[in-house]
Amino acid sequence: MNRLMLINGPNLNLLGTREPGIYGSHTLQDVVAEVKHVTDDFGYDLEDYQSNHEGAMVDKIQEAGRTCSGIILNAAAYTHTSIAIRDAIASIPVPVIEVHISNIHTREEFRHHSMLASVCKAQIVGLGIKGYRYAALALLEK
Ligand code: CA2
């Protein structure tokens, strides 16, 4: 399957509109463009999806498990709380790379733990939106 899935979770639709000190001034559209450069270079299709709803993200992860060869996932606040998203990742046969724009480990204590990290192939944090590009490269480079 020459296809990657990019999933962004709650409030990331607001990227670039608020909190530039933490998340920078790039928009979600910029994030998608960043990843698409890489998938285009490798001759892959990219599907991008953003949702503010946990169950909808679970549905999308399950779908990607059937239709894609890898997932780039920023589950935003659900990273720290969602057993449902963790179980969805664990249930699919394709690699998932967890990305965070900010460094969750240097922020508030409640952001230090990821429910998802141990079922993901890797975690990329603190590199701004470039982290999404590195995740795509990691999934596509042989
Ligand atoms: O650093 C990241 O990428 C996060 O996943 C972002 C989440 C946060 O809950 C995680 O702990 C770390 C928050 C996304 C909210 O994004 C906004 C962007 C602009 C304005 C307001 C919220």
Side-chain angles (χ1 to χ4, degrees), residues 10-12 14-19 23 74 76-77 80 99-102 104 107 111:
N11 298 307
L12 285 164
L14 300 176
L15 212 55
T17 66
R18 274 177 254 157
E19 302 200 72
Y23 300 117
N74 185 345
H80 315 296
V99 173
H100 298 286
I101 296 166
S102 64
I104 56 174
R107 297 184 62 192
R111 296 186 201 275

